Structures are given as structure tokens and as C-alpha cells.
Amino acid sequence: MKLKSFIALACLSLFVFSSCGNEDDPVIPEPQNNKTKKLSFTPAPRGSWAYVNLETGEVKVEKDVNEWIYKQGVLLKDENGNVVKDEKGNPIYKKDKDGNIETTIVKTIPASEPNAPAVWHLAFHDYNVCTNDAAVLMTDKTDINAFKEMPMGEYAEDKNATIIVDMKGMMSVPFEIGCANTKANFVLGKWLVSKGMPPVRTMSDKVFSVRFKNGDYVLIKFKDYKDPTGKSKLIVFDYKLVKKTTK
């Protein structure tokens, strides 16, 4: 009897500890059986964010409520206080040792109350992008259906960033621009690289993997940044939202 009781107790203990240890252990989800969805929307204008809910496909635009700082370019002047101009008559701006135009702060608008939706996954300001407390990996694959498991690697979280939110004074002399201190994901931001002025844009053909704090993942493959006419901005991407599972 004592031996049988001991064995029964040992088996019961094994069952309890095994069950408790595995019940809620997160398992990296497998994406191959998840449906690929498509989403397209007009980017939010400067000074606003387009918040994207990947579960419902809803896109909600809200004003940027971060602190706005207005900066004015510093004009180069001669010893008499006159603005120095180039051969075409354009004013010349002072530059620092790194070749950047010097600016001075002329106005600050303090941050206001947060206005993001209760549920959102990604947010786009023009072509800039941030995540809802997630981390991003740019994979080496170009096919969103090529993944049998979620990719491993060094996922990058959002970082502090400064974005231009007001360009109405850009053509004034001296120029004036409004900037916001915000967050952005610089890895996911590689989906579209802009160089020069006017900007020449190059869209990445890679699939991005986004890992959220709750254990969900999403695979994203960007398809376009313009509408079919090529004249208007449009963000288009395919995605697979892969929900977490438990053992």
C-alpha cells in the first residue's frame, strides 16, 4: 500500500508540475496557414498619423500631439548686416562644421493629451512609420509565403526621432519649419528610402517581421507607395497577422 501510494503521489506531482509549467508558455506561431491580407490607404498629411489596426483593417487619422518645435534658418550676413546671396540671387544660410544649415528656435507648441485609438499596430506619418511598442526585423526573403516559421534575429524597437510636421514656411526667407519629437522604427522605415531633392524614392522588396509585446507577429510585404496614376501617395502592403499560441 505504501509503495502504491508513493507511486500515485509521484505521478500526481509530475502531472501537476507539467501542466502548470506548460499551460501558458508562449509558442512562436507558425505563419504558413495564415491568410494573406492586403491593405491600402492614403498616408496621413504632415502633422497627423494614420493609425492602422491590422486585425480589422481600420485606418484612423489623428493629429500629432507631440511637442512641436518651429525652427528658422540662420541667414549669412556680411559685416554691414546685409544678407549674402549667391550668383542667382538666392540667400545663403550659415552652416555648422558638419555642413548642416544652422537654425534657431522661434516657437514651441507643447504636447497635448494622447489621442491614439485604443487598438492599433502601426502608424504612418506621411511615409514615416512607428509601431505600438513592437520590434522589427527586415528579413532576407521577398516572398511573404516563404516562411514556415517566424524569422529569428535581432529585432529593433522604436527609437526617438524628429519628423517635419509643418512645411508651410519652407519657401519663406528665412525658411521656417515645424518639427515634432516622436518615435519611429528605423528598420521598418527602410521600406521606402528617399534621397535628394526632389526626393528619389526606392521601395524595398524585402519582407518585414514585426513582433509585438503580447506574442503576436505580423509579416509585411510593401507593394506600392503611389496610386495607379503615379501622381498621388498611397501605401499598399500585403500582410499576415500571426496570433500567438500556447502549449
Side-chain angles (χ1 to χ4, degrees):
M1 284 294 294
K2 290 184 178 180
L3 179 60
K4 290 182 179 179
S5 298
F6 176 80
I7 294 174
L9 181 60
C11 290
L12 179 60
S13 299
L14 180 62
F15 172 79
V16 169
F17 282 109
S18 298
S19 299
C20 292
N22 293 330
E23 182 178 2
D24 294 319
D25 286 352
V27 177
I28 296 176
E30 298 179 352
Q32 66 266 32
N33 296 323
N34 287 73
K35 181 180 179 181
T36 300
K37 300 180 180 179
K38 180 182 289 290
L39 191 62
S40 64
F41 57 94
T42 302
R46 291 192 181 275
S48 299
W49 289 88
Y51 291 93
V52 181
N53 184 329
L54 294 174
E55 291 192 25
T56 64
E58 180 183 9
V59 179
K60 187 175 183 181
V61 177
E62 296 287 357
K63 180 178 172 59
D64 181 278
V65 294
N66 295 290
E67 179 185 50
W68 287 21
I69 299 175
Y70 282 81
K71 299 179 180 181
Q72 195 175 80
V74 179
L75 293 165
L76 182 65
K77 297 182 179 180
D78 60 22
E79 63 272 14
N80 297 318
N82 299 314
V83 175
V84 179
K85 298 182 179 181
D86 62 19
E87 62 276 8
K88 294 182 180 180
N90 299 314
I92 297 177
Y93 289 90
K94 291 182 65 175
K95 295 184 178 181
D96 60 23
K97 61 180 181 179
D98 296 321
N100 300 312
I101 294 177
E102 294 184 9
T103 59
T104 182
I105 296 175
V106 295
K107 181 173 64 174
T108 300
I109 300 176
S112 54
E113 290 297 318
N115 60 357
V119 179
W120 64 279
H121 298 87
L122 305 175
F124 291 81
H125 172 274
D126 194 42
Y127 290 135
N128 306 120
V129 59
C130 70
T131 72
N132 190 359
D133 202 19
V136 183
L137 173 74
M138 185 169 73
T139 75
D140 59 357
K141 291 182 169 57
T142 59
D143 183 0
I144 198 171
N145 296 310
F147 297 86
K148 294 183 178 179
E149 57 185 12
M150 297 308 299
M152 296 290 98
E154 187 174 348
Y155 281 72
E157 297 180 345
D158 292 14
K159 295 182 178 180
N160 293 330
T162 300
I163 59 173
I164 298 176
V165 291
D166 190 345
M167 296 183 66
K168 291 191 292 291
M170 192 66 186
M171 302 308 295
S172 303
V173 179
F175 71 81
E176 184 176 301
I177 58 172
C179 301
N181 296 319
T182 184
K183 292 277 190 178
N185 194 285
F186 294 106
V187 173
L188 191 54
K190 293 178 181 179
W191 81 273
L192 189 66
V193 177
S194 300
K195 291 184 178 180
M197 187 59 68
V200 176
R201 295 187 171 96
T202 304
M203 187 175 67
S204 174
D205 64 348
K206 304 301 183 185
V207 176
F208 293 85
S209 177
V210 184
R211 182 181 65 204
F212 295 96
K213 292 289 187 181
N214 65 354
D216 293 347
Y217 282 77
V218 65
L219 294 171
I220 301 178
K221 173 66 182 288
F222 288 92
K223 306 296 287 186
D224 215 334
Y225 61 95
K226 290 183 179 180
D227 70 355
T229 69
K231 297 179 180 179
S232 299
K233 294 180 178 181
L234 189 72
I235 297 176
V236 184
F237 58 80
D238 292 340
Y239 70 99
K240 284 187 175 186
L241 182 60
V242 186
K243 307 290 287 184
K244 71 174 182 180
T245 59
T246 55
K247 291 181 181 178

mmCIF file of all heavy atoms in Angstrom, residues 186-209:
data_model
loop_
_atom_site.group_PDB
_atom_site.id
_atom_site.type_symbol
_atom_site.label_atom_id
_atom_site.label_comp_id
_atom_site.label_asym_id
_atom_site.label_seq_id
_atom_site.Cartn_x
_atom_site.Cartn_y
_atom_site.Cartn_z
ATOM 1 N N PHE A 186 13.218 52.680 -37.265
ATOM 2 C CA PHE A 186 14.125 52.937 -38.375
ATOM 3 C C PHE A 186 14.351 51.704 -39.242
ATOM 4 O O PHE A 186 14.761 51.831 -40.400
ATOM 5 C CB PHE A 186 15.451 53.481 -37.846
ATOM 6 C CG PHE A 186 15.314 54.832 -37.202
ATOM 7 C CD1 PHE A 186 15.372 54.977 -35.820
ATOM 8 C CD2 PHE A 186 15.100 55.963 -37.973
ATOM 9 C CE1 PHE A 186 15.225 56.215 -35.225
ATOM 10 C CE2 PHE A 186 14.964 57.215 -37.393
ATOM 11 C CZ PHE A 186 15.018 57.348 -36.014
ATOM 12 N N VAL A 187 14.091 50.515 -38.708
ATOM 13 C CA VAL A 187 14.203 49.306 -39.534
ATOM 14 C C VAL A 187 12.997 49.206 -40.468
ATOM 15 O O VAL A 187 13.144 49.037 -41.674
ATOM 16 C CB VAL A 187 14.326 48.044 -38.666
ATOM 17 C CG1 VAL A 187 14.263 46.785 -39.532
ATOM 18 C CG2 VAL A 187 15.632 48.069 -37.894
ATOM 19 N N LEU A 188 11.796 49.327 -39.908
ATOM 20 C CA LEU A 188 10.605 49.295 -40.757
ATOM 21 C C LEU A 188 10.585 50.487 -41.699
ATOM 22 O O LEU A 188 10.030 50.416 -42.795
ATOM 23 C CB LEU A 188 9.347 49.282 -39.881
ATOM 24 C CG LEU A 188 8.019 48.990 -40.589
ATOM 25 C CD1 LEU A 188 8.092 47.680 -41.373
ATOM 26 C CD2 LEU A 188 6.878 48.947 -39.587
ATOM 27 N N GLY A 189 11.219 51.583 -41.289
ATOM 28 C CA GLY A 189 11.312 52.761 -42.152
ATOM 29 C C GLY A 189 12.112 52.519 -43.423
ATOM 30 O O GLY A 189 12.042 53.313 -44.370
ATOM 31 N N LYS A 190 12.859 51.411 -43.460
ATOM 32 C CA LYS A 190 13.626 51.081 -44.667
ATOM 33 C C LYS A 190 12.740 50.587 -45.800
ATOM 34 O O LYS A 190 13.234 50.302 -46.889
ATOM 35 C CB LYS A 190 14.691 50.027 -44.338
ATOM 36 C CG LYS A 190 15.787 50.532 -43.415
ATOM 37 C CD LYS A 190 16.791 49.430 -43.094
ATOM 38 C CE LYS A 190 17.872 49.922 -42.144
ATOM 39 N NZ LYS A 190 18.847 48.846 -41.798
ATOM 40 N N TRP A 191 11.428 50.464 -45.541
ATOM 41 C CA TRP A 191 10.528 50.027 -46.610
ATOM 42 C C TRP A 191 10.560 51.002 -47.782
ATOM 43 O O TRP A 191 10.345 50.609 -48.930
ATOM 44 C CB TRP A 191 9.107 49.872 -46.076
ATOM 45 C CG TRP A 191 8.300 51.131 -45.955
ATOM 46 C CD1 TRP A 191 8.264 51.975 -44.899
ATOM 47 C CD2 TRP A 191 7.389 51.661 -46.921
ATOM 48 N NE1 TRP A 191 7.401 53.014 -45.129
ATOM 49 C CE2 TRP A 191 6.836 52.848 -46.368
ATOM 50 C CE3 TRP A 191 6.971 51.259 -48.192
ATOM 51 C CZ2 TRP A 191 5.911 53.632 -47.042
ATOM 52 C CZ3 TRP A 191 6.041 52.042 -48.863
ATOM 53 C CH2 TRP A 191 5.530 53.212 -48.290
ATOM 54 N N LEU A 192 10.868 52.282 -47.492
ATOM 55 C CA LEU A 192 10.930 53.281 -48.547
ATOM 56 C C LEU A 192 12.052 54.257 -48.230
ATOM 57 O O LEU A 192 12.000 54.969 -47.226
ATOM 58 C CB LEU A 192 9.600 54.023 -48.663
ATOM 59 C CG LEU A 192 9.447 54.943 -49.871
ATOM 60 C CD1 LEU A 192 9.449 54.131 -51.170
ATOM 61 C CD2 LEU A 192 8.151 55.753 -49.768
ATOM 62 N N VAL A 193 13.060 54.279 -49.083
ATOM 63 C CA VAL A 193 14.224 55.140 -48.881
ATOM 64 C C VAL A 193 14.142 56.315 -49.842
ATOM 65 O O VAL A 193 13.906 56.139 -51.040
ATOM 66 C CB VAL A 193 15.533 54.358 -49.103
ATOM 67 C CG1 VAL A 193 16.736 55.276 -48.960
ATOM 68 C CG2 VAL A 193 15.624 53.197 -48.115
ATOM 69 N N SER A 194 14.301 57.527 -49.300
ATOM 70 C CA SER A 194 14.250 58.749 -50.114
ATOM 71 C C SER A 194 15.613 59.416 -50.114
ATOM 72 O O SER A 194 16.249 59.547 -49.065
ATOM 73 C CB SER A 194 13.196 59.718 -49.563
ATOM 74 O OG SER A 194 11.918 59.126 -49.568
ATOM 75 N N LYS A 195 16.039 59.858 -51.294
ATOM 76 C CA LYS A 195 17.311 60.567 -51.415
ATOM 77 C C LYS A 195 17.141 61.751 -52.357
ATOM 78 O O LYS A 195 16.434 61.684 -53.358
ATOM 79 C CB LYS A 195 18.408 59.640 -51.944
ATOM 80 C CG LYS A 195 18.832 58.544 -50.983
ATOM 81 C CD LYS A 195 19.991 57.729 -51.538
ATOM 82 C CE LYS A 195 20.438 56.662 -50.541
ATOM 83 N NZ LYS A 195 21.582 55.861 -51.065
ATOM 84 N N GLY A 196 17.842 62.846 -52.018
ATOM 85 C CA GLY A 196 17.863 64.011 -52.892
ATOM 86 C C GLY A 196 16.629 64.887 -52.744
ATOM 87 O O GLY A 196 15.717 64.615 -51.986
ATOM 88 N N MET A 197 16.634 65.986 -53.511
ATOM 89 C CA MET A 197 15.526 66.929 -53.523
ATOM 90 C C MET A 197 15.399 67.489 -54.944
ATOM 91 O O MET A 197 16.322 68.138 -55.429
ATOM 92 C CB MET A 197 15.767 68.053 -52.509
ATOM 93 C CG MET A 197 14.578 68.971 -52.345
ATOM 94 S SD MET A 197 13.085 68.136 -51.801
ATOM 95 C CE MET A 197 13.545 67.657 -50.124
ATOM 96 N N PRO A 198 14.264 67.230 -55.626
ATOM 97 C CA PRO A 198 13.122 66.466 -55.127
ATOM 98 C C PRO A 198 13.506 65.005 -54.870
ATOM 99 O O PRO A 198 14.413 64.485 -55.525
ATOM 100 C CB PRO A 198 12.094 66.581 -56.255
ATOM 101 C CG PRO A 198 12.898 66.836 -57.480
ATOM 102 C CD PRO A 198 14.067 67.658 -57.038
ATOM 103 N N PRO A 199 12.823 64.372 -53.916
ATOM 104 C CA PRO A 199 13.250 63.036 -53.485
ATOM 105 C C PRO A 199 13.080 61.965 -54.556
ATOM 106 O O PRO A 199 12.080 61.929 -55.270
ATOM 107 C CB PRO A 199 12.342 62.753 -52.281
ATOM 108 C CG PRO A 199 11.134 63.605 -52.505
ATOM 109 C CD PRO A 199 11.639 64.840 -53.171
ATOM 110 N N VAL A 200 14.086 61.112 -54.651
ATOM 111 C CA VAL A 200 14.008 59.915 -55.478
ATOM 112 C C VAL A 200 13.801 58.749 -54.515
ATOM 113 O O VAL A 200 14.647 58.481 -53.659
ATOM 114 C CB VAL A 200 15.293 59.714 -56.306
ATOM 115 C CG1 VAL A 200 15.219 58.408 -57.082
ATOM 116 C CG2 VAL A 200 15.505 60.887 -57.253
ATOM 117 N N ARG A 201 12.670 58.051 -54.645
ATOM 118 C CA ARG A 201 12.303 57.031 -53.677
ATOM 119 C C ARG A 201 12.529 55.627 -54.233
ATOM 120 O O ARG A 201 12.235 55.350 -55.392
ATOM 121 C CB ARG A 201 10.852 57.211 -53.244
ATOM 122 C CG ARG A 201 10.599 58.520 -52.491
ATOM 123 C CD ARG A 201 9.205 58.581 -51.928
ATOM 124 N NE ARG A 201 9.032 59.714 -51.036
ATOM 125 C CZ ARG A 201 8.516 60.885 -51.385
ATOM 126 N NH1 ARG A 201 8.104 61.067 -52.635
ATOM 127 N NH2 ARG A 201 8.399 61.866 -50.513
ATOM 128 N N THR A 202 13.022 54.747 -53.369
ATOM 129 C CA THR A 202 13.245 53.346 -53.720
ATOM 130 C C THR A 202 12.556 52.475 -52.676
ATOM 131 O O THR A 202 12.843 52.585 -51.476
ATOM 132 C CB THR A 202 14.744 53.012 -53.751
ATOM 133 O OG1 THR A 202 15.411 53.901 -54.649
ATOM 134 C CG2 THR A 202 14.958 51.581 -54.197
ATOM 135 N N MET A 203 11.650 51.611 -53.126
ATOM 136 C CA MET A 203 10.912 50.748 -52.208
ATOM 137 C C MET A 203 11.616 49.407 -52.041
ATOM 138 O O MET A 203 12.060 48.807 -53.017
ATOM 139 C CB MET A 203 9.480 50.523 -52.726
ATOM 140 C CG MET A 203 8.588 49.778 -51.751
ATOM 141 S SD MET A 203 6.877 49.671 -52.341
ATOM 142 C CE MET A 203 7.123 48.588 -53.762
ATOM 143 N N SER A 204 11.723 48.947 -50.803
ATOM 144 C CA SER A 204 12.360 47.669 -50.522
ATOM 145 C C SER A 204 11.491 46.519 -51.013
ATOM 146 O O SER A 204 10.262 46.589 -50.971
ATOM 147 C CB SER A 204 12.603 47.525 -49.018
ATOM 148 O OG SER A 204 13.087 46.231 -48.707
ATOM 149 N N ASP A 205 12.134 45.451 -51.470
ATOM 150 C CA ASP A 205 11.400 44.257 -51.879
ATOM 151 C C ASP A 205 11.431 43.179 -50.795
ATOM 152 O O ASP A 205 10.974 42.057 -51.005
ATOM 153 C CB ASP A 205 11.963 43.697 -53.187
ATOM 154 C CG ASP A 205 13.409 43.218 -53.056
ATOM 155 O OD1 ASP A 205 14.059 43.520 -52.026
ATOM 156 O OD2 ASP A 205 13.902 42.551 -53.989
ATOM 157 N N LYS A 206 11.956 43.515 -49.611
ATOM 158 C CA LYS A 206 12.090 42.545 -48.535
ATOM 159 C C LYS A 206 10.805 42.443 -47.705
ATOM 160 O O LYS A 206 10.008 43.374 -47.641
ATOM 161 C CB LYS A 206 13.252 42.925 -47.614
ATOM 162 C CG LYS A 206 14.590 43.077 -48.316
ATOM 163 C CD LYS A 206 15.014 41.801 -49.025
ATOM 164 C CE LYS A 206 16.405 41.968 -49.647
ATOM 165 N NZ LYS A 206 16.797 40.781 -50.444
ATOM 166 N N VAL A 207 10.641 41.293 -47.060
ATOM 167 C CA VAL A 207 9.540 41.091 -46.117
ATOM 168 C C VAL A 207 10.017 41.500 -44.728
ATOM 169 O O VAL A 207 11.120 41.147 -44.319
ATOM 170 C CB VAL A 207 9.082 39.616 -46.102
ATOM 171 C CG1 VAL A 207 8.002 39.397 -45.045
ATOM 172 C CG2 VAL A 207 8.573 39.208 -47.477
ATOM 173 N N PHE A 208 9.180 42.243 -44.023
ATOM 174 C CA PHE A 208 9.491 42.666 -42.666
ATOM 175 C C PHE A 208 8.688 41.831 -41.671
ATOM 176 O O PHE A 208 7.525 41.517 -41.908
ATOM 177 C CB PHE A 208 9.159 44.149 -42.473
ATOM 178 C CG PHE A 208 10.020 45.083 -43.268
ATOM 179 C CD1 PHE A 208 9.698 45.392 -44.587
ATOM 180 C CD2 PHE A 208 11.155 45.649 -42.715
ATOM 181 C CE1 PHE A 208 10.489 46.249 -45.330
ATOM 182 C CE2 PHE A 208 11.958 46.511 -43.449
ATOM 183 C CZ PHE A 208 11.626 46.805 -44.760
ATOM 184 N N SER A 209 9.323 41.499 -40.562
ATOM 185 C CA SER A 209 8.651 40.774 -39.486
ATOM 186 C C SER A 209 8.544 41.697 -38.279
ATOM 187 O O SER A 209 9.542 42.284 -37.846
ATOM 188 C CB SER A 209 9.435 39.517 -39.112
ATOM 189 O OG SER A 209 8.833 38.847 -38.017
#
